[in-house]
Amino acid sequence: MLTITAALRDRIVAHARADHPDEACGVVAGPEGTDRPERFIPMLNAARSPTFYEFDSADLFKLYREMDDRDEEPVIVYHSHTATEAYPSRTDVSYASEPNAHYVLVSTREEETYEFRSYRIVDGVITEEEVDVVEAY
């Protein structure tokens, strides 16, 4: 189960809305071994595409060095789907390289509503998980 604050969820959704019609992407880092998302890190979609996202390799390298220096890990890897449901595509599964991360997808296909769903993706197997939204940890 993913436990996330309402404030972090809202920031992820706001980033997805702001980048629409392109897919948004980013990471929420947390202290190593805690499974607690804390630091919101919106990233640039280097693909600048409404159907595909790609982290800029230099930005990603810099982020991982920064997380190492801060004893953090990627607790959430998120991106948006702009025209489809919030379910991982084959490409999303092929890019899922963090077995301990929660892969959050936000669908912005509806202007007034959104879907916010979380998955574990390990060895190509997709498992949807419950999302518990809390006010504070």
Side-chain angles (χ1 to χ4, degrees):
M1 173 174 43
L2 169 63
T3 301
I4 186 171
T5 63
L8 280 172
R9 181 212 47 209
D10 293 348
R11 290 182 81 183
I12 291 170
V13 171
H15 182 207
R17 288 253 184 252
D19 281 13
H20 190 91
D22 290 340
E23 289 192 3
C25 58
V27 172
V28 183
E32 284 184 356
T34 66
D35 198 39
R36 189 177 63 233
E38 291 183 353
R39 189 166 63 97
F40 176 70
I41 308 157
M43 304 284 285
L44 173 69
N45 178 355
R48 299 180 192 256
S49 167
T51 59
F52 179 75
Y53 83 97
E54 181 177 30
F55 291 115
D56 178 90
S57 59
D59 288 347
L60 197 57
F61 181 73
K62 179 182 169 193
L63 171 62
Y64 271 80
R65 287 186 58 199
E66 186 179 286
M67 285 191 298
D68 267 353
D69 291 346
R70 297 171 62 126
D71 295 323
E72 292 176 327
E73 62 187 355
V75 177
I76 294 173
V77 177
Y78 74 87
H79 76 280
S80 61
H81 282 184
T82 61
T84 60
E85 72 175 313
Y87 188 83
S89 68
R90 282 182 294 205
T91 303
D92 298 339
V93 172
S94 71
Y95 279 13
S97 61
E98 292 290 341
N100 295 324
H102 301 271
Y103 286 89
V104 166
L105 278 93
V106 177
S107 176
T108 57
R109 66 183 169 174
E110 300 291 331
E111 197 171 314
E112 300 299 320
T113 62
Y114 63 87
E115 289 176 75
F116 187 99
R117 296 166 70 183
S118 184
Y119 304 89
R120 295 291 190 154
I121 304 174
V122 180
D123 296 327
V125 177
I126 303 166
T127 306
E128 186 165 9
E129 61 184 350
E130 185 179 333
V131 177
D132 185 22
V133 179
V134 297
E135 288 306 310
Y137 300 125

